[in-house]
Amino acid sequence: MARKFMVPALAVLAFAVGAPVMAQVPANIAKAVADPSRPAAETARDAARRPGEILAMAELKPGDTVVDFVMGGGYFTRIISGAVGSQGVVYAYQPAEFIRFAARYGESLKAVTAALVNSKPLDGPITALDLPDNVDAVITVQNYHDMHLKPFPTDTAAKANAEIFKSLKPGGVFLVIDHSAVAGSGISAADTLHRIDIAAVKQEVEAAGFKLEAESPLLADASDARTVNVFDPAIRGKTDQFILKFRKPK
């Protein structure tokens, strides 16, 4: 399972399907990244994880309702909370199966949501996913491949994608970031290397009704051969990752 600088307000990111598109990091997101209350261990990872640019792709606005899908240790939950502000809501979702696997997942869910007044915990099973309706965005970071772990039924990702589609408002964004597997490998590396082929993700998510709107090379790293487990010390924190922005049609 995937465990989980400070960006200026005018930072930009090129991302595209087809022609390049430029997206500024809005002030609400830049402010959330710069929040001094964030744990030092997390801010130290900002240069590598690029949260401002990533969340700019999700178009988070003050007052939005957002699901952090498989929130891990809460790195993105905290930033999303600041970005949507006091009038917004962030649902921090931690699968019940993960909590049974390791107590720290449940502990993180409780601790993070207790510290964020605009957050709500969700801990139902991923195999019977039930998300709130009418949300503006769903974001999953380094965890999409987990739905293809061997303990889960083979239709887990398909059912989850369908529920995410149902949960989002028309026009809502589903942002997927994950560790890249070798092209053409499909889902075969999900259980062994904690990676997934970008083409497999596109196919699965679009099958649920989403439209791929953009993809970004922001977290790409050509030095990663994509053949080593992401937790191997030689590659951990330095993997080649893809970013895909899907939209629910209006």
Side-chain angles (χ1 to χ4, degrees), residues 114-126:
L116 304 173
V117 296
N118 64 346
S119 68
K120 297 184 180 181
L122 298 174
D123 61 0
I126 201 169

Side-chain angles (χ1 to χ4, degrees), residues 181-240:
V182 172
S185 62
I187 63 170
S188 62
D191 193 71
T192 56
L193 304 181
H194 296 273
R195 298 174 179 268
I196 192 165
D197 183 2
I198 187 173
V201 178
K202 291 177 181 179
Q203 180 180 21
E204 291 181 352
V205 177
E206 289 188 308
F210 287 98
K211 300 299 181 184
L212 178 62
E213 183 170 290
E215 54 187 292
S216 169
L218 182 70
L219 300 179
D221 189 335
S223 68
D224 177 12
R226 298 174 289 173
T227 57
V228 177
N229 188 299
V230 301
F231 299 119
D232 187 304
I235 197 66
R236 189 168 188 175
K238 299 175 286 185
T239 58
D240 180 63

Side-chain angles (χ1 to χ4, degrees), residues 6-238:
M6 190 174 296
V7 292
L10 296 180
V12 294
L13 161 68
F15 62 92
V17 172
V21 180
M22 299 304 291
Q24 290 187 344
V25 177
N28 63 308
I29 296 175
K31 182 179 178 181
V33 173
D35 187 340
S37 71
R38 292 179 59 217
E42 294 188 3
T43 59
R45 302 166 67 193
D46 289 349
R49 302 200 73 174
R50 309 294 288 274
E53 293 97 320
I54 285 173
L55 295 181
M57 287 186 70
E59 304 174 8
L60 302 190
K61 303 178 300 298
D64 276 357
T65 299
V66 181
V67 176
D68 186 3
F69 183 69
V70 190
M71 54 85 74
Y75 173 93
F76 273 98
T77 312
R78 293 184 178 92
I79 303 173
I80 294 168
S81 169
V84 301
S86 60
Q87 300 304 307
V89 178
V90 53
Y91 287 94
Y93 172 67
Q94 200 83 290
E97 296 92 342
F98 283 28
I99 295 171
R100 287 196 297 270
F101 173 77
R104 66 178 178 274
Y105 289 109
E107 293 163 0
S108 293
L109 178 63
K110 291 179 182 177
V112 172
T113 55
L116 304 173
V117 296
N118 64 346
S119 68
K120 297 184 180 181
L122 298 174
D123 61 0
I126 201 169
T127 52
L129 188 63
D130 185 15
L131 297 177
D133 291 333
N134 211 38
V135 305
D136 296 284
V138 177
I139 298 168
T140 187
V141 182
Q142 300 178 346
N143 286 291
Y144 185 95
H145 70 271
D146 285 324
M147 295 189 287
H148 289 289
L149 296 178
K150 287 182 179 178
F152 295 137
T154 56
D155 63 352
T156 298
K159 288 183 175 179
N161 287 333
E163 175 60 20
I164 292 168
F165 186 88
K166 173 179 172 290
S167 171
L168 282 162
K169 294 177 179 177
V173 171
F174 181 27
L175 196 68
V176 180
I177 298 96
D178 215 334
H179 306 281
S180 300
V182 172
S185 62
I187 63 170
S188 62
D191 193 71
T192 56
L193 304 181
H194 296 273
R195 298 174 179 268
I196 192 165
D197 183 2
I198 187 173
V201 178
K202 291 177 181 179
Q203 180 180 21
E204 291 181 352
V205 177
E206 289 188 308
F210 287 98
K211 300 299 181 184
L212 178 62
E213 183 170 290
E215 54 187 292
S216 169
L218 182 70
L219 300 179
D221 189 335
S223 68
D224 177 12
R226 298 174 289 173
T227 57
V228 177
N229 188 299
V230 301
F231 299 119
D232 187 304
I235 197 66
R236 189 168 188 175
K238 299 175 286 185

